[in-house]
Amino acid sequence: MPTTRTLIVVAALAALTLSSCSFRESGPFATGSYVERQFDSGPYGGEIEGRISLDDVHLPALARLHLPLRTALQAAAAEAEASGVDMYLTSGWRSAAYQQRLFDDAVVRYGSADEARRWVQSPDRSKHVTGWAVDIGPTDADDWLIQHGGEYGLCQTYANEMWHFEMADTTGGGCPVPSSDASSDRAESSR
Ligand SMILES: [Zn+2]
């Protein structure tokens, strides 16, 4: 009986060694595809679970914004906070793949690509993908930013999205009037 037990232990050890070898051998390939997938999804693709602080600069959603936009936001958030309004990032930089998923979801939700474009831009048009747009929350912070954002060059871009802000030239004072929705950009650029 002890002999059988020994054999079982030896067999188990052999199996363990074999499986760890084969794991190591397939490692580089598995890692390669894993990393590739990770770069355009989850936090690496700019996805945010709920909201993040404007100090969470290690997260790609914030880190991959252009510096003037990020610093303007941080300055605005500090002033808002001083007047009792907490400000968070609900979406910032997005990978093209993440933006495509949002757009595809919107097409399903709104029934057509034209209707979806009123709310979500395709990756080739989205300022989130180029790192020049942010979504801000909660509503109190949006209200604050609509009122004071112009002092920082931060302007509401679309009348139907009170949370979406982009940088604008506000040296003349105040923000330009927002477009009615994101689809009006398309009409403008196709002109
Ligand atoms: Zn947005």
Side-chain angles (χ1 to χ4, degrees):
M1 289 308 270
T3 314
T4 313
R5 213 176 298 144
T6 308
L7 274 175
I8 289 169
V9 169
V10 168
L13 280 172
L16 196 67
T17 310
L18 277 174
S19 67
S20 62
C21 276
S22 65
F23 172 76
R24 228 171 300 157
E25 273 159 25
S26 65
F29 302 104
T31 307
S33 55
Y34 176 76
V35 168
E36 213 170 290
R37 276 201 306 275
Q38 288 303 300
F39 272 124
D40 58 28
S41 64
Y44 294 101
E47 292 184 42
I48 289 174
E49 271 183 46
R51 62 191 195 184
I52 62 169
S53 154
L54 288 160
D55 295 324
D56 285 341
V57 288
H58 60 288
L59 292 171
L62 193 56
R64 298 192 68 169
L65 291 177
H66 289 275
L67 197 57
L69 173 58
R70 205 171 75 200
T71 47
L73 272 172
Q74 288 168 332
E79 197 193 313
E81 198 182 323
S83 44
V85 176
D86 287 331
M87 190 177 285
Y88 298 97
L89 189 77
T90 58
S91 194
W93 170 83
R94 299 170 185 157
S95 70
Y98 176 32
Q99 185 71 29
Q100 185 68 54
R101 282 200 300 281
L102 292 176
F103 184 72
D104 293 344
D105 288 350
V107 171
V108 171
R109 188 178 325 137
Y110 297 109
S112 72
D114 276 349
E115 193 58 22
R117 281 193 195 93
R118 294 189 58 224
W119 301 96
V120 183
Q121 290 279 27
S122 51
D124 56 324
R125 294 186 183 280
S126 175
K127 291 271 177 60
H128 283 283
V129 174
T130 58
W132 281 116
V134 288
D135 295 343
I136 297 296
T139 308
D140 279 0
D142 297 328
D143 283 333
W144 190 95
L145 210 51
I146 287 168
Q147 216 178 326
H148 304 283
E151 295 163 31
Y152 301 89
L154 299 167
C155 295
Q156 181 192 7
T157 315
Y158 308 118
N160 68 334
E161 294 185 17
M162 71 176 299
W163 55 85
H164 178 100
F165 294 87
E166 295 177 13
M167 292 219 81
D169 180 9
T170 56
T171 45
C175 285
V177 177
S179 316
S180 55
D181 59 55
S183 66
S184 50
D185 278 2
R186 192 169 43 109
E188 218 165 89
S189 57
S190 65
R191 245 185 255 146

